[in-house]
Amino acid sequence: ALRSVGIPKPERRIDEYSFELSGGLRQRAMIAVALSCNPRLLIADEPTTALDVTTQAQILDLLRKIQQERQMAIMLITHNLGVVAEMADDVVVMYAARVVENAPVENLFNRPHMPYTWGLLGSLPRLDADMERLTQIPGQPPSLLNPPRGCRFHPRCPIAVERCRTEMPALRDVGGGHLARCFRAEEIASGAVDPVAITAAVGAVMK
């Protein structure tokens, strides 16, 4: 298993302690442990955290290679939207322990239907846009011990209406298998609510 994930001299490495390995080798060793039972699904929780950019790319290439060779599914859990864009076929966005959006990766990045997702994407630096500052989502994440009534994102949402404060929206299909947990998702999908305006509204709240 160690050899299959690219660890050199596995017969020697297997007797070494974790503090004797680099960050990249520790990640490879964890992947080897996960693969030892020949799973049909590999769950990779933050597989690139605390790794330098070069090592991150190596780990992602390794995951792709393993997935193709073993024909297994991979569930990536990450806050790195660059990794999501590069690796994922389908994306599930969660907020306060609830799924708020689920869509194919291209649909999600090109046309998200949930204000929280727009806030996440607005926080990314872009080379094709002149931005004075990155968008910030106002407020703080809610306590899961005492979550707000209604939509859990409404205290931070720039387009929340009264219904958002009293009712929990259902996760529903807004077209093409794109699921969103937002009462205004259809307005966003149709263009009646401009996603660019949502991002601008978030930025205005922060000023």
Side-chain angles (χ1 to χ4, degrees), residues 126-144:
R126 296 180 56 177
L127 298 178
D128 61 345
D130 185 13
M131 303 171 66
E132 292 185 4
R133 60 179 296 174
L134 298 177
T135 297
Q136 300 178 54
I137 301 175
Q140 298 293 325
S143 167
L144 297 183

Side-chain angles (χ1 to χ4, degrees), residues 70-90:
R70 299 188 176 225
Q71 293 297 300
M72 68 180 183
I74 297 179
M75 179 188 295
L76 281 174
I77 303 171
T78 182
H79 290 83
N80 189 327
L81 294 179
V83 171
V84 172
E86 182 179 350
M87 295 288 293
D89 296 316
D90 295 285

Side-chain angles (χ1 to χ4, degrees), residues 3-160:
R3 185 175 287 106
S4 71
V5 296
I7 293 181
K9 300 180 180 179
E11 62 281 352
R12 178 170 65 85
R13 295 289 189 182
I14 196 169
D15 293 322
E16 293 182 347
Y17 292 98
S18 60
F19 65 82
E20 299 179 271
L21 304 177
S22 67
L25 286 180
R26 286 198 294 268
Q27 288 289 62
R28 289 173 185 269
M30 286 297 298
I31 294 171
V33 171
L35 294 176
S36 62
C37 296
N38 295 313
R40 298 176 65 183
L41 170 65
L42 175 66
I43 301 176
D45 190 351
E46 300 286 0
T48 59
T49 296
L51 301 177
D52 62 77
V53 175
T54 300
T55 306
Q56 284 186 25
Q58 292 172 352
I59 294 299
L60 294 179
D61 286 342
L62 173 62
L63 289 174
R64 272 192 291 261
K65 175 175 175 288
I66 291 170
Q67 193 274 332
Q68 292 171 0
E69 289 179 351
R70 299 188 176 225
Q71 293 297 300
M72 68 180 183
I74 297 179
M75 179 188 295
L76 281 174
I77 303 171
T78 182
H79 290 83
N80 189 327
L81 294 179
V83 171
V84 172
E86 182 179 350
M87 295 288 293
D89 296 316
D90 295 285
V91 184
V92 174
V93 179
M94 298 190 68
Y95 180 79
R98 290 285 187 275
V99 174
V100 295
E101 192 155 8
N102 181 10
V105 62
E106 289 187 7
N107 291 357
L108 188 94
F109 275 80
N110 291 331
R111 191 71 176 182
H113 294 337
M114 208 285 176
Y116 174 63
T117 310
W118 269 102
L120 292 179
L121 295 177
S123 68
L124 294 175
R126 296 180 56 177
L127 298 178
D128 61 345
D130 185 13
M131 303 171 66
E132 292 185 4
R133 60 179 296 174
L134 298 177
T135 297
Q136 300 178 54
I137 301 175
Q140 298 293 325
S143 167
L144 297 183
L145 297 176
N146 186 28
R149 185 182 178 191
C151 175
R152 293 187 173 185
F153 186 61
H154 87 258
R156 309 175 69 190
C157 181
I159 61 166

Side-chain angles (χ1 to χ4, degrees), residues 111-112 118 126 135 158-159 188 191 193-203:
R111 191 71 176 182
W118 269 102
R126 296 180 56 177
T135 297
I159 61 166
I188 296 173
V193 173
D194 187 352
V196 176
I198 294 175
T199 305
V202 174

Side-chain angles (χ1 to χ4, degrees), residues 136-197:
Q136 300 178 54
I137 301 175
Q140 298 293 325
S143 167
L144 297 183
L145 297 176
N146 186 28
R149 185 182 178 191
C151 175
R152 293 187 173 185
F153 186 61
H154 87 258
R156 309 175 69 190
C157 181
I159 61 166
V161 294
E162 186 59 33
R163 187 182 182 190
C164 304
R165 300 176 177 88
T166 58
E167 299 178 38
M168 171 67 77
L171 185 68
R172 62 189 189 283
D173 193 329
V174 293
H178 193 138
L179 308 180
R181 189 185 299 276
C182 180
F183 289 123
R184 307 193 69 181
E186 288 82 5
E187 296 176 77
I188 296 173
S190 68
V193 173
D194 187 352
V196 176

